Amino acid sequence: MQHLIDHARVFPRRAAQGPEGFGRLAAGQSPHALFITCSDSRVIPSLITGARPGELFELRTAGNIVPRHDRPHPAGEAATIEYAVEVLGVGDVVVCGHSHCGAVGAMARGDDLTAVPAVRDWLEHATPLPEGTDAGAPDLAHAVQSHVLDQLDRLRAYPCVARGLAGGRLRLHGWFYEIHTGSVLAHRSHADAFQPL
Ligand code: ZN
């Protein structure tokens, strides 16, 4: 932890000297995209995309799960999605799953999660993984990709997303990031397959 604290201490000096122009960020934000991905520490959206401060609005959840929009209780995830689409007016939403995902692996294997009830309850928000997903494959590619498509379906049901899609103001993207290679695959609807970006 100490090296993280040390970095944060000198960060203002680095920010002042860097090319980002942090001062302008106080005027507001106008991010290009909402990027929904897993909380996994190995997935760094700005590192993958090269996004500068102010360019990506992020939503990170365990397993990049998008909860149903009509849940009875207030949900931070729904608020983040609605704010990005309706207030910030992002033109694109990316759902990015990743290889070797612990959450998707637990779902695919049907792990016993009684010791972590909050995790168990959260994963129940995910659409059940389709039959035949490769729970035994180390990178879980098929399971994660199917899971990403399910989360895109969830997103389409959000009223703000549906309006954006109908109005041609919004595009949805399904990505699969390989943490062991850095490669990104994108779902191509015409081929119904994940292919290199
Ligand atoms: Zn994950």
Side-chain angles (χ1 to χ4, degrees):
M1 181 64 196
Q2 188 57 48
H3 71 288
L4 303 177
I5 295 171
D6 292 342
H7 189 280
R9 281 190 176 128
V10 300
F11 184 67
R13 202 179 327 138
R14 294 160 59 101
Q17 295 168 349
E20 285 87 356
F22 275 55
R24 69 176 168 77
L25 297 175
Q29 61 171 327
S30 184
H32 305 309
L34 167 62
F35 198 93
I36 301 174
T37 192
C38 186
S39 304
D40 194 298
S41 62
R42 300 166 294 182
V43 181
I44 310 296
S46 60
L47 202 59
I48 297 168
T49 62
R52 316 293 287 184
E55 293 185 342
L56 271 191
F57 200 69
E58 293 184 27
L59 172 59
R60 304 194 65 155
T61 68
N64 46 268
I65 291 169
V66 175
R68 291 174 55 92
H69 79 282
D70 54 357
R71 281 200 298 168
H73 305 296
E77 301 81 21
T80 301
I81 292 165
E82 189 176 74
Y83 189 80
V85 173
E86 292 286 7
V87 179
L88 298 176
V90 298
D92 295 88
V93 182
V94 179
V95 175
C96 182
H98 68 96
S99 68
H100 307 84
C101 181
V104 173
M107 288 187 283
R109 292 184 300 268
D111 288 356
D112 179 2
L113 299 172
T114 51
V116 281
V119 174
R120 178 198 60 207
D121 293 349
W122 174 248
L123 295 187
E124 285 178 0
H125 285 304
T127 304
L129 292 172
E131 294 289 326
T133 49
D134 47 356
D139 67 357
L140 295 162
H142 184 214
V144 171
Q145 291 169 9
S146 296
H147 175 68
V148 165
L149 297 182
D150 288 339
Q151 307 320 301
L152 288 173
D153 285 342
R154 288 278 183 82
L155 264 180
R156 290 186 186 95
Y158 278 66
C160 60
V161 173
R163 283 193 297 272
L165 292 171
R169 303 185 304 275
L170 194 63
R171 292 161 297 280
L172 302 185
H173 310 264
W175 285 12
F176 174 70
Y177 174 65
E178 290 185 344
I179 60 170
H180 52 301
T181 67
S183 297
V184 178
L185 307 180
H187 182 256
R188 309 293 187 200
S189 53
H190 63 273
D192 193 21
F194 281 76
Q195 300 174 341
L197 271 181

